[in-house]
């Protein structure tokens, strides 16, 4: 696999540049990237934000500037993006900025298991090769390589070059029918259930929606009042019945942590369903996808549901998850897609037996 990775590490590119490095964005993402830069001895010059967020305040000891102020101050500079982007307007803005400046989007892992580098790929070369060989179509293979090159280099053109709309995945790969039974692990506020309802034009048999975060679960249950034949569960998903500890984070995510103060009951898919059928299983559970697959082994082997498994929380997701899926059911055809999102979040495996 390493021979397909043409780029050098983003951190090496930043270390080697002679131009001033300017961080675009504030908050948790900027903190994580600045911490990494400092650990690596890489200096940054300034921070800027979108004009509507600039109010004369400071972040990490530097006054937050507007883009035009950075241009006036430096002329030529390197932009390091420090916040996630998925709406069309901001994606267009990133494309525009990358046409004017060297722009990097460092891939800082959601679950902190180290930086994703060329050295990481080389250390797991055979595992990446095996995952790549199991992909069922050329677009999936191209997307897989593009995402790896992005994770190493931080260059956004790799992600822009392999985007696929979610609606196309439902129509081309998953091909959902009128009698589907969906189980949504990490249901958040019902966003994926909404996708599902649109894909099946409102015709289905049953929905099971599981969400661990109490605040998100409240949103989910409010949405569920408008949905027929939906059963909701306020719990985490694991490979067995247990209690997990979470550390609350801003936004939609909570982080699994041994030191977390929030106790959440957890159980396996097999236990939750108790032998009942599902035809479509989605998992977006903050790095617990492998555990969830282990806990769904009986259900997967018996019913072979279509799978939608997120592959961007852990560095190892891109090779461990397809291996796990095939070990449970060798009949699966595995597709890999990245959807419009920066950094490489919304990069998922989609699996069917058809």
């Amino acid at each position: 696999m390493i021979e397909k990775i043409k780029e050098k590490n983003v951190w090496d590119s930043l270390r080697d540049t002679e131009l001033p490095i300017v961080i675009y964005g504030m908050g948790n993402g900027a903190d994580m990237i600045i911490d990494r830069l400092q650990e690596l001895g890489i200096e940054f010059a300034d921070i800027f934000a979108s004009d509507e967020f600039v109010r004369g305040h400071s972040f990490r000891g530097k006054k937050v500037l507007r883009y035009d102020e950075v241009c006036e101050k430096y002329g030529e500079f390197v932009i390091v993006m420090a916040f996630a982007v998925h709406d069309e307007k901001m994606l267009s803005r990133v494309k525009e900025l990358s046409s004017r400046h060297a722009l990097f989007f460092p891939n800082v892992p959601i679950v902190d298991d180290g930086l994703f580098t060329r050295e990481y790929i080389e250390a797991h070369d055979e595992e990446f090769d095996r995952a790549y060989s199991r992909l069922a179509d050329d677009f999936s293979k191209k997307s897989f390589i593009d995402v790896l090159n992005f994770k190493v280099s931080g260059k956004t053109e790799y992600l822009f070059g392999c985007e696929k709309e979610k609606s196309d995945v439902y129509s081309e790969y998953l091909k959902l029918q009128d009698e589907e039974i969906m189980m949504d692990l990490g249901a958040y506020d019902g966003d994926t259930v909404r996708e599902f309802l649109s894909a099946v034009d409102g015709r289905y048999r049953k929905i099971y929606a599981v969400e661990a975060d109490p605040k998100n679960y409240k949103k989910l249950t409010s949405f569920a009042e408008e949905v027929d034949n939906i059963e909701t569960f306020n719990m985490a998903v694991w490979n067995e019945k247990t209690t997990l500890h979470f550390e609350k984070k801003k936004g939609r995510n909570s982080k699994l942590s041994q030191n977390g103060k929030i106790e959440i009951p957890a159980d396996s898919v097999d236990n939750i369903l108790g032998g009942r059928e599902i035809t479509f299983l989605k998992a977006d559970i903050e790095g617990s996808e492998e555990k969830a697959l282990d806990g769904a082994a009986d259900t997967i082997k018996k019913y072979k549901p279509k799978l939608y498994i997120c592959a961007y929380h852990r560095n190892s997701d891109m090779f461990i998850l397809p291996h796990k899926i095939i070990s449970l059911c060798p009949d699966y055809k595995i597709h890999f897609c990245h959807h419009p999102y920066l950094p490489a979040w919304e990069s998922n495996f989609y699996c069917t037996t058809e």
Side-chain angles (χ1 to χ4, degrees), residues 24 48 67 79 93-101 103:
Y24 183 9
F48 77 102
Y67 171 68
I79 296 175
R93 175 65 170 157
V94 171
K95 289 180 182 178
E96 178 189 4
L97 288 173
S98 64
S99 70
R100 300 180 185 178
H101 309 276
L103 183 147

Side-chain angles (χ1 to χ4, degrees), residues 183 236-241 266-273 292 295-296:
M183 189 170 199
V237 182
W238 204 241
N239 62 345
E240 62 182 354
K241 187 178 182 65
D267 210 340
S268 68
V269 167
D270 289 340
N271 286 343
I272 294 169
L273 291 174

Side-chain angles (χ1 to χ4, degrees), residues 82-310:
F83 60 97
V85 176
H86 59 90
D87 63 282
E88 187 175 345
K89 180 179 178 181
M90 273 306 303
L91 288 169
S92 295
R93 175 65 170 157
V94 171
K95 289 180 182 178
E96 178 189 4
L97 288 173
S98 64
S99 70
R100 300 180 185 178
H101 309 276
L103 183 147
F104 297 97
F105 221 125
N107 188 80
V108 179
I110 297 173
V111 178
D112 192 3
D113 52 356
L115 297 178
F116 198 104
T117 61
R118 290 184 59 86
E119 291 76 18
Y120 181 81
I121 294 176
E122 194 162 15
H124 298 278
D125 200 48
E126 290 184 7
E127 293 152 298
F128 278 110
D129 277 337
R130 186 163 60 246
Y132 177 80
S133 70
R134 287 170 173 158
L135 298 176
D137 63 291
D138 290 340
F139 185 82
S140 294
K141 290 183 176 181
K142 177 187 182 300
S143 300
F144 192 86
I145 298 302
D146 282 346
V147 168
L148 290 183
N149 270 300
F150 166 78
K151 285 175 176 280
V152 167
S153 71
K155 294 183 178 181
T156 57
E157 57 260 35
Y158 285 106
L159 295 189
F160 288 133
C162 70
E163 290 177 342
K164 195 176 191 70
E165 293 295 333
K166 190 73 72 66
S167 58
D168 292 335
V169 166
Y170 282 104
S171 61
E172 294 175 19
Y173 294 152
L174 294 174
K175 298 179 181 178
L176 302 180
Q177 305 298 316
D178 292 351
E179 295 295 309
E180 303 288 351
I181 306 172
M182 178 195 195
M183 189 170 199
D184 186 353
L185 311 181
Y188 184 42
D189 64 357
D191 54 347
T192 308
V193 172
R194 291 182 181 89
E195 293 175 2
F196 169 78
L197 293 173
S198 176
V200 299
D201 197 23
R203 297 187 292 272
Y204 60 95
R205 278 190 283 169
K206 176 81 174 183
I207 299 170
Y208 301 99
V210 187
E211 173 55 44
D213 184 279
K215 187 175 180 180
N216 293 339
Y217 183 73
K218 186 176 181 180
K219 296 177 184 177
L220 174 65
T221 54
S222 178
F223 162 70
E225 292 175 359
E226 306 171 6
V227 180
D228 294 330
N229 298 325
I230 184 170
E231 189 173 348
T232 63
F233 303 82
N234 187 196
M235 62 172 60
V237 182
W238 204 241
N239 62 345
E240 62 182 354
K241 187 178 182 65
T242 187
T243 299
L244 300 177
H245 294 82
F246 284 82
E247 174 186 341
K248 183 60 182 173
K249 297 171 67 179
K250 292 181 180 179
R252 63 179 291 174
N253 302 323
S254 293
K255 179 182 178 182
L256 184 64
S257 170
Q258 292 181 344
N259 300 319
K261 296 181 180 180
I262 303 173
E263 289 191 349
I264 300 289
D267 210 340
S268 68
V269 167
D270 289 340
N271 286 343
I272 294 169
L273 291 174
R276 290 174 289 182
E277 180 187 9
I278 57 171
T279 66
F280 177 40
L281 177 65
K282 169 255 181 175
D284 183 358
I285 44 178
E286 306 309 313
S288 299
E289 287 79 9
E290 183 186 8
K291 290 289 188 181
L293 288 169
D294 281 333
D298 292 344
T299 301
I300 290 172
K301 290 174 182 178
K302 182 175 182 180
Y303 297 112
K304 300 180 181 179
K306 297 158 186 166
L307 302 179
Y308 163 171
I309 310 296
C310 293

